[in-house]
Structures are given as C-alpha cells and as structure tokens.
C-alpha cells in the first residue's frame, strides 16, 4: 500500500507542474515600452464667483447710483504636477460697452507645503481699430503658477476702487476656490 500512496502523490505533483507550466509555454510575451499616461487635465471653476458693483456713480466714498452687479467666475486648470493655470471667461455683466473688463487679483496658498503667492488675470485691452464683437469683449489672459502638489485654496478679487473709463468698480465679495493639484 505504501507504494501506491507514494505513486499517487508523485502523479499529483506532476499534474500540478504540468498545469502551471503548460499555459506559459504556449504564450509568447513581447516586452514593449508603453508611453507614460498623459496627466489628466481638470478644470475647476471658483466655487464662489467674484462680485463687484459695475460702473458705480459715487459722491465721496459712497455708491449712490449702482448700475448693476457684475460677476466673474475664474477657473483653475490642473494637470501637470504642481502647476495651476488660472483663467476666466467673460464677466457675466458687460455694462457701458465693456466697462467691466477689470483685472482680477488671485491670492493662492498650498495647504500641504505652505507655499503662497499672488497672480493677476489681466483683462485683454481691445484695439480701437474695429468694433468689438460681443463674444470678444472682456477676455482674460490665462496665467500659470507653480503652486506645488497638494491642496490649494485661492481667493480672487477686483482691485478696490479701480477706475475703468472714469467709472469706479467697487468689490462686493471675493471669489474662492479649493482644488487638488497633482
């Protein structure tokens, strides 16, 4: 009996080796270099838009005849490691033929590294050679900053008492953003 038990054990081991080795003998594996995956680009709008009084007529320091409220919603685009590109579409309110085209100041802070900085979204100045189509009014030049990887918070605001074409633009409240930077 002892011979039969050893014989079965030997055959069982041979079957296991055969089951493991046989599939790999038939498969041919070719090693090829795969390009690294492209970083995912993510665009995040400021969760709170920048709001300001548009073209306010003032006497002293008080706004007596507010034209209307204007909002600008900047956005942050991430993709490359440690880099954020801030941009903005047009202001939601374009009064007096584009008087709301005002620069937007952005202060940012990386909560992981402690890095901080400031940048400005500059309003593109229209040329005076041709009439400006509505879809080209109040465009902003994107700006890219090296924030470092981590959680980045940012606030955006128009300059206090900025004058555009003789009309003051008065800030109501700043915009705010929370974004994860790879």
């Amino acid at each position: 009996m002892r011979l039969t038990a050893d014989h079965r054990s030997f055959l069982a081991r041979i079957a296991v080796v055969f089951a493991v080795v046989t599939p790999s003998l038939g498969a041919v594996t070719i090693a090829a270099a795969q390009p690294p995956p492209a970083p995912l680009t993510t665009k995040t709008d400021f969760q709170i838009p920048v709001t300001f009084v548009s073209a306010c007529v003032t006497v002293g320091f008080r706004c007596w005849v507010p034209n209307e409220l204007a909002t600008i919603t900047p956005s942050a685009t991430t993709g490359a490691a440690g880099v954020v590109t801030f941009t903005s579409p047009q202001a939601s309110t374009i009064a007096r033929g584009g008087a709301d085209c005002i620069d937007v100041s952005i202060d940012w802070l990386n909560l992981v590294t402690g890095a901080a900085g400031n940048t400005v979204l500059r309003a593109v100045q229209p040329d005076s050679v041709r009439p400006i189509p509505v879809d080209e009014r109040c465009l902003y030049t994107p700006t890219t900053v090296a924030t470092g990887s981590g959680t980045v918070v940012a606030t955006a605001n128009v300059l206090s008492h900025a004058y555009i074409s003789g009309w003051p633009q008065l800030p109501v409240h700043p915009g705010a953003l929370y974004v994860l930077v790879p």
Side-chain angles (χ1 to χ4, degrees):
M1 283 234 205
R2 175 129 172 94
L3 197 54
T4 306
D6 287 339
H7 183 61
R8 286 183 187 160
S9 174
F10 176 72
L11 289 177
R13 282 186 241 153
I14 294 282
V16 168
V17 168
F18 184 73
V20 170
V21 172
T22 302
S24 65
L25 291 176
V28 177
T29 305
I30 299 174
Q34 296 293 327
L40 296 175
T41 301
T42 304
K43 179 182 174 189
T44 306
D45 289 338
F46 272 55
Q47 289 87 5
I48 301 171
V50 178
T51 305
F52 59 99
V53 175
S54 168
C56 177
V57 176
T58 62
V59 174
F61 293 105
R62 294 188 58 178
C63 182
W64 293 97
V65 184
N67 185 25
E68 52 195 84
L69 288 178
T71 59
I72 299 172
T73 305
S75 63
T77 302
T78 60
V83 176
V84 176
T85 299
F86 292 105
T87 188
S88 181
Q90 299 171 318
S92 68
T93 306
I94 299 177
R96 302 198 195 307
D100 291 337
C101 294
I102 185 170
D103 293 344
V104 177
S105 175
I106 297 176
D107 295 307
W108 58 268
L109 170 66
N110 186 321
L111 298 176
V112 175
T113 65
N118 178 282
T119 189
V120 177
L121 283 176
R122 301 270 181 217
V124 176
Q125 297 302 316
D127 60 18
S128 58
V129 177
R130 62 180 176 87
I132 304 166
V134 174
D135 61 336
E136 291 182 19
R137 291 183 186 163
C138 204
L139 299 177
Y140 288 89
T141 303
T143 182
T144 301
V145 294
T147 61
S149 298
T151 303
V152 173
V153 293
T155 59
N157 210 349
V158 296
L159 300 175
S160 179
H161 298 287
Y163 285 84
I164 306 293
S165 302
W167 297 95
Q169 311 288 333
L170 303 173
V172 174
H173 68 76
L177 168 78
Y178 169 89
V179 67
L180 298 174
V181 180

